[in-house]
Amino acid sequence: MKELSYFRETRKDSTLLYDGKVLHVYKDTINLPNGKTGMREYCRHGGAVAVVPLTREGKVVCVRQYRYALGRVTLEIPAGKIERGEKHYDCGRRELLEETGCICKVYEYLGEIVPTPAYVSEVIHLYMASGLEFTAQKLDEDEFLDIEKIPLEKAVDMVIKGEITDSKTQIGVLKVWHIINKK
């Protein structure tokens, strides 16, 4: 996409408001395209990877887990944050193994998504994994989740009906559905 330079905002001053493990919150004074100054509050995030694991039978391997910020259980594809110095390719394979116990023979990049560009810098890289071999999960000590295998067509219906609300899962499932049905 061609960048329209007349939209560009430049940082004049930056203040770190909170420096957490996952999020780093800033308040910046910026120069606006019209020559005036403005203010932006935002979170810097190191990025993440999400994987759509697809079994030979055409089922998506999902995880159910409690999401504290929402106060409820969600149904999602396996995902996790990229560790410092880690490539997104490797992160996705690591998260797939940790959360589902899956190792894959085929691993295809589906692109990136930007879930909340207005105030978070997070970029999520999406992959599709197939040729799955199931081994033992390697969950982090603070990770509690259940695995659920859902036929791809049913997962698409769940997205459309609003039963799957997680954005990375919605986009990943719909992309895989499109790829498979385009063949």
Side-chain angles (χ1 to χ4, degrees):
M1 180 185 312
K2 181 179 174 186
E3 184 173 325
L4 302 173
S5 60
Y6 56 87
F7 285 146
R8 193 153 195 63
E9 300 173 347
T10 56
R11 182 180 311 125
K12 184 175 180 179
D13 181 78
S14 184
T15 303
L16 176 63
L17 301 176
Y18 174 76
D19 194 22
K21 182 179 175 185
V22 176
L23 297 176
H24 314 282
V25 181
Y26 290 84
K27 180 178 181 180
D28 289 4
T29 303
I30 60 164
N31 296 313
L32 297 167
N34 64 3
K36 296 182 180 183
T37 59
M39 188 269 302
R40 298 287 183 259
E41 295 174 340
Y42 63 98
C43 297
R44 286 195 184 147
H45 185 284
V49 177
V51 181
V52 182
L54 198 60
T55 68
R56 284 180 196 81
E57 300 79 30
K59 293 182 179 180
V60 179
V61 181
C62 294
V63 296
R64 280 200 188 273
Q65 60 187 324
Y66 182 79
R67 290 300 194 177
Y68 182 81
L70 291 175
R72 67 179 189 234
V73 173
T74 61
L75 181 66
E76 305 175 27
I77 54 177
K81 69 182 187 69
I82 301 169
E83 300 295 335
R84 173 167 273 156
E86 185 178 37
K87 304 277 189 237
H88 60 79
Y89 177 92
D90 297 323
C91 174
R93 285 184 173 271
R94 175 180 54 76
E95 287 293 338
L96 179 63
L97 177 61
E98 286 178 7
E99 293 189 1
T100 67
C102 288
I103 299 169
C104 65
K105 292 180 181 158
V106 180
Y107 192 57
E108 181 181 345
Y109 188 61
L110 302 178
E112 63 182 43
I113 61 172
V114 184
T116 49
Y119 58 92
V120 180
S121 67
E122 181 182 27
V123 173
I124 300 175
H125 299 274
L126 292 173
Y127 285 88
M128 178 171 64
S130 57
L132 304 179
E133 176 185 323
F134 289 87
T135 64
Q137 288 174 295
K138 298 177 190 263
L139 297 174
D140 294 334
E141 66 179 32
D142 64 346
E143 204 167 27
F144 306 93
L145 51 85
D146 287 332
I147 295 172
E148 191 170 326
K149 296 175 188 171
I150 302 169
L152 180 58
E153 187 171 357
K154 180 179 179 187
V156 170
D157 288 342
M158 293 172 75
V159 166
I160 301 304
K161 291 176 183 174
E163 296 170 10
I164 293 177
T165 57
D166 174 63
S167 63
K168 69 186 175 301
T169 303
Q170 289 181 338
I171 294 166
V173 163
L174 294 175
K175 279 189 168 206
V176 168
W177 174 258
H178 178 75
I179 289 166
I180 287 173
N181 286 291
K182 223 178 145 181
K183 291 180 180 179

